[in-house]
């Protein structure tokens, strides 16, 4: 594995939930910080949430209280639990180090929120 691999996206109704998973290309603690990014058509890529190797978390204001970032150390993965999804959350979601590494961008996982 030479890239981050995202999974868990799908089509949900407004107010629904999804849990995204991210398999890292190496030990997650080798990254000072990792995070979830998203990019909607015609928009710039946005860092949604991050977590440091100490466990400190950060969220963009628009998702605070709805999204939760976490790690599964045993599986060397990172997750993003998304609740109360809104149409404006629809995007292609990626995980990567923070700041992002050009070498590690994966294919992303698509989140679609119907209305």
């Amino acid at each position: 594995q030479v890239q981050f691999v995202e999974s868990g996206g799908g089509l949900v109704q407004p107010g629904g939930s999804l849990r995204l998973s991210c398999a890292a290309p190496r030990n997650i603690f080798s990254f000072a910080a990792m995070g979830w990014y998203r990019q909607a058509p015609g928009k710039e890529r946005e860092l949604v949430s991050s977590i440091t190797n100490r466990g400190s978390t950060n969220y963009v204001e628009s998702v605070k209280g709805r999204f939760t970032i976490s790690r599964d150390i045993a599986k060397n993965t990172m997750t993003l639990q998304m609740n109360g999804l809104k149409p404006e959350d629809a995007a292609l979601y990626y995980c990567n180090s923070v700041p992002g590494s050009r070498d590690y961008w994966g294919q992303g996982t698509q989140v679609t929120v119907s209305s």
Side-chain angles (χ1 to χ4, degrees), residues 38-51:
R38 67 186 180 189
Q39 187 168 27
K43 296 184 178 180
E44 296 182 347
R45 186 170 57 220
E46 172 188 37
L47 177 63
V48 178
S49 182
S50 64
I51 185 167

Side-chain angles (χ1 to χ4, degrees), residues 48-69:
V48 178
S49 182
S50 64
I51 185 167
T52 71
N53 59 16
R54 294 181 181 271
S56 298
T57 59
N58 192 36
Y59 301 89
V60 68
E61 190 68 28
S62 62
V63 309
K64 287 183 177 178
R66 299 189 296 120
F67 291 9
T68 303
I69 191 170

Side-chain angles (χ1 to χ4, degrees), residues 47-101:
L47 177 63
V48 178
S49 182
S50 64
I51 185 167
T52 71
N53 59 16
R54 294 181 181 271
S56 298
T57 59
N58 192 36
Y59 301 89
V60 68
E61 190 68 28
S62 62
V63 309
K64 287 183 177 178
R66 299 189 296 120
F67 291 9
T68 303
I69 191 170
S70 62
R71 301 169 297 183
D72 186 330
I73 298 172
K75 296 181 179 179
N76 201 51
T77 59
M78 179 176 65
T79 66
L80 184 68
Q81 178 66 48
M82 305 186 295
N83 299 324
L85 284 163
K86 303 176 180 180
E88 52 263 44
D89 294 318
L92 188 62
Y93 283 71
Y94 302 88
C95 55
N96 206 333
S97 56
V98 179
S101 171

